[in-house]
Amino acid sequence: MKYLVASMLVAASSVAAARPAPLVSIPSHDGFFDNIAAHCGKAYEGKVSVDNAAGPSSFADKKLVMHVRRCNERELQVPFHVGDDASRTWIITKTGSGLSLKHDHRHKDGSDDKSTMYGGHTLDAGFANAQSFPADQYSKELFVSQGIPQSMGNTWQMYIYPKQFTYRLVREGREFRVDFDLTKPITPPSAPWGYED
């Protein structure tokens, strides 16, 4: 009986001493994350600077706004509003092996779009001002299932400098880029679809 009680006390004390594993990161990833987080709560207007897709763009003549809406030590939520369309949120996450970029797409009622949470993960150190996110396996399989296998080659890039933030998509034969003016904060928009203010 004494042995059982002693064993239980040892087990209880070891549980009480347990702590979460540390979230490891490297300086260039931390710097990039922190450079975006420094704008938390602010919104900025942007414009398409490159779009080589054939046909009319769904972004043409629409107000483009990024809003660094929610920030914690592990995740940044950055809605990207295209006119009245509040379906897109970029989610940048520290993973312990780099940074992940996901595209959370929602319908107006908050439900998930069939094309959601695609994105990529850093493969190298990058820089405090620039990171690349080549498409991850989930995204590649999603693109194939949706009949757009050309998107398997997607790499998303983000750049942040004192005066400008850039979101860029590149793959063979395709480039899309939006530049946001960080010198002129604007009134933040309402919460994106599926999120709450």
Side-chain angles (χ1 to χ4, degrees):
M1 183 68 167
K2 287 182 182 179
Y3 176 75
L4 179 60
V5 171
S7 297
M8 290 172 62
L9 288 173
V10 169
S13 65
S14 64
V15 170
R19 62 174 177 77
L23 178 64
V24 296
S25 192
I26 61 173
S28 56
H29 292 159
D30 288 339
F32 178 80
F33 190 95
D34 293 345
N35 281 337
I36 296 174
H39 295 272
C40 204
K42 296 179 181 175
Y44 304 95
E45 193 166 351
K47 63 180 181 179
V48 175
S49 55
V50 178
D51 187 357
N52 68 352
S57 170
S58 61
F59 290 64
D61 303 320
K62 293 184 179 168
K63 185 175 182 178
L64 307 179
V65 175
M66 65 171 282
H67 177 199
V68 186
R69 184 170 178 273
R70 293 272 192 266
C71 311
N72 63 39
E73 63 198 15
R74 189 178 197 114
E75 181 182 278
L76 306 174
Q77 295 176 3
V78 185
F80 174 39
H81 297 256
V82 180
D84 294 329
D85 183 338
S87 65
R88 302 167 178 86
T89 300
W90 301 321
I91 300 176
I92 302 161
T93 308
K94 290 185 179 184
T95 66
S97 58
L99 296 172
S100 165
L101 168 66
K102 289 291 186 175
H103 298 74
D104 184 359
H105 282 223
R106 308 280 184 101
H107 295 290
K108 202 165 190 175
D109 66 1
S111 62
D112 293 336
D113 189 273
K114 66 179 181 178
S115 175
T116 193
M117 297 311 283
Y118 63 84
H121 197 282
T122 56
L123 298 180
D124 56 27
F127 302 92
N129 301 106
Q131 293 291 336
S132 292
F133 306 89
D136 58 26
Q137 193 61 35
Y138 167 79
S139 303
K140 292 177 182 180
E141 293 183 22
L142 178 68
F143 296 147
V144 170
S145 73
Q146 293 181 343
I148 50 171
Q150 65 273 19
S151 295
M152 289 174 64
N154 282 5
T155 295
W156 296 271
Q157 297 172 330
M158 289 181 165
Y159 307 86
I160 182 158
Y161 292 95
K163 295 183 178 180
Q164 183 171 291
F165 174 87
T166 296
Y167 169 88
R168 182 176 184 235
L169 162 68
V170 291
R171 66 171 179 262
E172 187 174 350
R174 178 76 171 109
E175 181 178 4
F176 173 78
R177 174 176 170 156
V178 183
D179 296 316
F180 297 87
D181 184 352
L182 299 182
T183 68
K184 298 175 182 174
I186 64 171
T187 301
S190 298
W193 298 343
Y195 290 76
E196 295 180 0
D197 282 324

